[in-house]
Amino acid sequence: MSRFLKDRYSKLEVYTPGEQPRDKKYIKLNTNESPFPPSKGVIKAVNKSEVKDLRLYSDPTGTALKTALAELHNVKRENIFLSNGSDDILNFSFMAFTEKGAMFPEISYGFYEVFAELHGIESVKVPLKDDFSIDPKDYIGDGRMIVIANPNAPTGLCLSVEEIEGILKQNPDSVVVIDEAYVDFGGQSCYPLIKTYKNLLVVQTFSKSRSMAGARLGFSIADEELIADLERIKYSTNPYNINRLTTAAGVAAVKDNDYYIKNCQKIIAARDYTTRELEALGFFVIPSKANFIFAKSDKIGGEDLYLKLKENGILVRHFTKEKIKDFNRITVGSQKEMEAFIKVTKQILEGK
Ligand SMILES: *Cc1c(COP(=O)(O)O)cnc(C)c1O
């Protein structure tokens, strides 16, 4: 760190992304990426002529991609905001809607806390219930922005659309951000509620169910006034926030929606298989509606299992926070990867 950095940034506790090691080939079950490639249409769209056109700026209005997403969700283009990964939308929300502070679950996506710190926002961290679920009654923000991942990470547990609506009703003066990064794996999106609730901001991403983590593409669905607020911030930071290749890939991915729905079904089947096998090995598994499983065993500590899996070429995610340190978060990959994971886990438990 140099002596020139402002105090408020030098004290930041930055977000730690999951490992992306280069030393050898791992079975990567640590960052919730898709095991499947992007659709054929996406691969075709990122073609030579698109690459040649990289000399030109991308379309700052994002009209083509907004049109595709608006059609898919039966909303207006003005209800869609595009961003460089959904992390950017979360960042913008913490900049834009937190006059009175923020509120989010104590155990959730780690970035919420980082954004709050980054922008010097006072935040309330609400404990989960003993069974790791979120109690909607705990969320009365009194004007604070409320942020909830649904399904939550790293638990994989969901609130119903009715419960989300309850939170919206009891917080008419707060923006309620529902982060639906994992909604395609068995949850239900609450975006139809934007027609009734002007304070709802739904955030989704192409990183998980759409096999495009490396392209960095996220989007929001909300009332046009909230979207206009986000656009103000975008035009004050980086108007060309979506690059040309990602835009082309995004449009093609929306066209190939059926392919991604099928992939999600494969992930759900592999998730069910992995849950059953882990339970048979004596693990406690939180029932997940996401493309990951949060599990612990009385026979081995969370960190110990993480390290032994890594020695054996399998990466999972371990968090050191006291309340969840016994657990590991295991991304659901292909059926073959999950069979390998179960086999190695069995061997570790048997002490081989
Ligand atoms: C992965 C993830 C994101 C960020 O996704 P990007 O679009 O890749 O930035 C946002 N929220 C949650 C809960 C996530 O797990």
Side-chain angles (χ1 to χ4, degrees):
M1 215 180 296
S2 85
R3 64 194 164 89
F4 303 107
L5 187 65
K6 279 183 172 175
D7 270 357
R8 52 181 290 208
Y9 296 127
S10 65
K11 292 184 192 107
L12 270 187
E13 230 181 276
V14 304
Y15 179 73
T16 318
E19 300 164 90
Q20 301 286 359
R22 309 272 178 244
D23 59 332
K24 64 173 183 181
K25 214 166 157 38
Y26 288 92
I27 295 183
K28 262 192 99 265
L29 307 178
N30 67 328
T31 47
N32 299 342
E33 290 141 328
S34 172
F36 305 112
S39 69
K40 289 198 179 101
V42 167
I43 292 166
K44 241 187 173 160
V46 184
N47 58 17
K48 263 197 190 141
S49 81
E50 206 54 46
V51 172
K52 276 192 187 143
D53 280 347
L54 282 179
R55 70 188 181 82
L56 302 168
Y57 279 111
S58 55
D59 172 13
T61 68
T63 300
L65 184 49
K66 280 188 183 175
T67 305
L69 283 168
E71 270 173 24
L72 183 67
H73 294 97
N74 196 21
V75 295
K76 287 189 287 182
R77 221 161 48 211
E78 291 75 16
N79 296 122
I80 306 276
F81 178 74
L82 303 173
S83 73
N84 190 317
S86 60
D87 287 335
D88 248 12
I89 303 178
L90 298 168
N91 185 27
F92 288 5
S93 307
F94 274 89
M95 288 164 86
F97 306 123
T98 49
E99 198 73 61
K100 300 245 169 77
M103 183 179 209
F104 44 84
E106 179 188 21
I107 306 286
S108 192
Y109 186 39
F111 232 137
Y112 303 153
E113 207 167 338
V114 176
F115 287 135
E117 295 281 319
L118 176 67
H119 301 298
I121 294 153
E122 189 255 327
S123 51
V124 174
K125 283 150 217 149
V126 186
L128 298 179
K129 292 201 284 188
D130 288 343
D131 63 359
F132 291 94
S133 66
I134 287 171
D135 188 343
K137 287 198 295 295
D138 291 340
Y139 290 81
I140 297 182
D142 287 333
R144 287 170 189 279
M145 179 174 82
I146 293 170
V147 187
I148 292 179
N150 197 47
N152 195 16
T155 63
L157 291 172
C158 258
L159 291 175
S160 67
V161 171
E162 291 72 33
E163 287 170 311
I164 302 276
E165 183 162 17
I167 293 174
L168 287 160
K169 270 194 188 142
Q170 66 199 19
N171 293 282
D173 298 322
S174 297
V175 169
V176 177
V177 178
I178 303 297
D179 180 350
E180 296 188 335
Y182 300 106
V183 77
D184 296 329
F185 302 101
Q188 195 185 349
S189 177
C190 67
Y191 79 81
L193 295 176
I194 66 156
K195 308 222 157 133
T196 319
Y197 298 93
K198 288 179 174 274
N199 56 333
L200 170 62
L201 182 70
V202 179
V203 182
Q204 291 198 9
T205 176
F206 282 65
S207 294
K208 315 283 165 50
S209 59
R210 286 166 206 261
S211 306
M212 273 173 53
R216 313 305 304 129
L217 184 59
F219 67 99
S220 244
I221 311 178
D223 182 74
E224 12 189 308
E225 289 185 4
L226 279 188
I227 297 295
D229 296 342
L230 293 173
E231 296 285 357
R232 279 178 77 81
I233 302 214
K234 181 189 99 163
Y235 279 100
S236 310
T237 50
N238 182 4
Y240 308 105
N241 64 343
I242 317 293
N243 70 66
R244 296 187 76 96
L245 299 180
T246 295
T247 305
V251 171
V254 174
K255 271 204 194 107
D256 289 342
N257 199 38
D258 291 349
Y259 166 78
Y260 295 102
I261 292 174
K262 277 190 201 118
N263 285 349
C264 289
Q265 286 160 352
K266 287 182 201 163
I267 298 282
I268 291 169
R271 179 179 74 203
D272 292 347
Y273 159 81
T274 313
T275 303
R276 277 196 311 273
E277 293 290 322
L278 283 176
E279 283 175 348
L281 292 174
F283 276 79
F284 169 69
V285 184
I286 299 181
S288 169
K289 292 274 188 204
N291 68 339
F292 55 79
I293 286 170
F294 206 46
K296 69 170 179 178
S297 165
D298 291 338
K299 296 178 196 137
I300 186 164
E303 185 167 23
D304 197 12
L305 177 60
Y306 155 76
L307 288 171
K308 291 210 166 93
L309 283 167
K310 190 171 175 183
E311 270 168 34
N312 284 281
I314 298 180
L315 275 183
V316 298
R317 185 94 197 247
H318 178 255
F319 299 95
T320 49
K321 249 188 191 171
E322 186 58 31
K323 285 187 182 168
I324 51 172
K325 68 177 178 17
D326 296 339
F327 285 79
N328 278 291
R329 191 194 69 191
I330 303 134
T331 301
V332 179
S334 66
Q335 176 66 23
K336 229 171 121 191
E337 287 175 321
M338 301 326 284
E339 283 168 15
F341 160 76
I342 290 293
K343 190 172 153 209
V344 171
T345 302
K346 241 183 226 168
Q347 286 166 356
I348 292 169
L349 291 182
E350 285 161 8
K352 278 184 198 160

